[in-house]
Amino acid sequence: MERRFAGRTAIVTGAAQGIGRAIAGELAAEGATVVVADLNETRAEAVAKELGGSSFAAAVDVADEGAVAELHRHVMERTGRIDILVNNAAIQPFTPWDDVDFAEWRRIMRVDLDGVYLMCRKSSDEMRRSGYGRIINIASNTFLAGTPNMAPYVAAKGGVVGFTRALSTELGPYGITVNAVSPGLTASEGVLGGPHEDSFEFTKSLQSLKRRAVPADIAPAVVFLASEEAGWVTGSLLNVDGGHVRH
Ligand SMILES: NC(=O)c1ccc[n+]([C@@H]2O[C@H](COP(=O)([O-])OP(=O)(O)OC[C@H]3O[C@@H](n4cnc5c(N)ncnc54)[C@H](O)[C@@H]3O)[C@@H](O)[C@H]2O)c1
């Protein structure tokens, strides 16, 4: 296989399972040193082992400023560079909007929006120093669809799209591209077995492509935006949902 990412370091948050794990797998298969950054250290270790090569696991809570700083210190010490950042970690609670109290709203914002900011803030410092970077933020097509029972999540993902656009303007002069990918409903571990699972049949009826998405359907779009070939694409939202919202 072509090794497009040989010599590159990629941090993928939430890579211990689901879509993040699929992204980590594709980047590692093409030569990247992948930092499997996740709250769940045990599962992150197992994924890093599976990836092999120079990839490694790192425990992090993306919503914790100190932990994000420590992660970056550790990655720089181990690899001396950060070329690619994939902000994939998120929580996806499914609750009628008027049952969401302010504490729950803030919890979702902390992980799904503040976490993206904190990771971008730190990684972009290193990318600016080297004059190269690829940042890919995982949004969601629920932002485009206005999906019910996920209002704080939809708002946070809208924030991620807006932040992606603003950051592409701020970081472009330093050779850094910033893009977002919005998956549709996808059979990840986080979704399977939860309340979202009941939505697959209805979602399939709305999609142009009549099957369930799996994490491997999402990863190639992210890998493209992480590649050198995508160097003229920035500030974009790439919707990857089998033709559900047709954005
Ligand atoms: N699966 C879907 O249907 C779907 C649809 C649209 C968008 N997305 C987005 O895709 C991304 C991945 O989704 P998924 O379904 O694969 O998720 P998942 O729930 O299967 O996995 C999420 C991973 O993130 C980690 N994580 C959670 N909070 C964290 C934190 N504070 N710090 C570090 N790691 C943390 C978890 O430990 C887990 O390993 C998310 O951004 C999600 O919003 C998913």
Side-chain angles (χ1 to χ4, degrees), residues 157-179:
K157 292 299 190 180
V160 168
V161 174
F163 182 54
T164 299
R165 290 182 181 154
L167 206 59
S168 74
T169 315
E170 302 285 358
L171 297 179
Y174 304 97
I176 303 166
T177 65
V178 189
N179 291 287

Side-chain angles (χ1 to χ4, degrees), residues 28-162:
E30 295 200 49
T33 295
V34 177
V35 184
V36 181
D38 203 288
L39 205 51
N40 188 320
E41 196 171 3
T42 312
R43 273 193 280 109
E45 294 282 1
V47 170
K49 204 167 159 193
E50 190 181 280
L51 299 183
S54 50
S55 296
F56 59 95
V60 71
D61 177 353
V62 296
D64 178 333
E65 188 177 9
V68 168
E70 174 54 26
L71 169 74
H72 282 77
R73 195 198 55 72
H74 178 59
V75 173
M76 287 307 289
E77 194 178 273
R78 240 174 117 156
T79 76
R81 56 192 303 142
I82 297 169
D83 304 289
I84 298 161
L85 167 65
V86 182
N87 282 307
N88 166 83
I91 48 175
Q92 312 172 63
F94 187 85
T95 317
W97 106 270
D98 43 6
D99 288 345
V100 175
D101 63 13
F102 187 55
E104 175 65 354
W105 172 277
R106 283 301 318 142
R107 183 179 78 94
I108 297 166
M109 289 297 161
R110 263 199 308 277
V111 179
D112 293 3
L113 184 55
D114 299 1
V116 173
Y117 158 74
L118 290 171
M119 289 296 299
C120 286
R121 188 74 191 78
K122 277 294 182 191
S123 283
S124 65
D125 282 347
E126 301 306 335
M127 292 172 177
R128 279 171 70 147
R129 268 191 268 282
S130 69
Y132 180 90
R134 297 278 183 265
I135 297 176
I136 302 98
N137 296 324
I138 306 303
S140 165
N141 79 343
T142 58
F143 163 63
L144 300 164
T147 306
N149 299 315
M150 299 187 80
Y153 173 83
V154 172
K157 292 299 190 180
V160 168
V161 174

Side-chain angles (χ1 to χ4, degrees), residues 19-31:
I19 294 170
R21 180 183 184 169
I23 296 165
E26 289 206 13
L27 290 171
E30 295 200 49

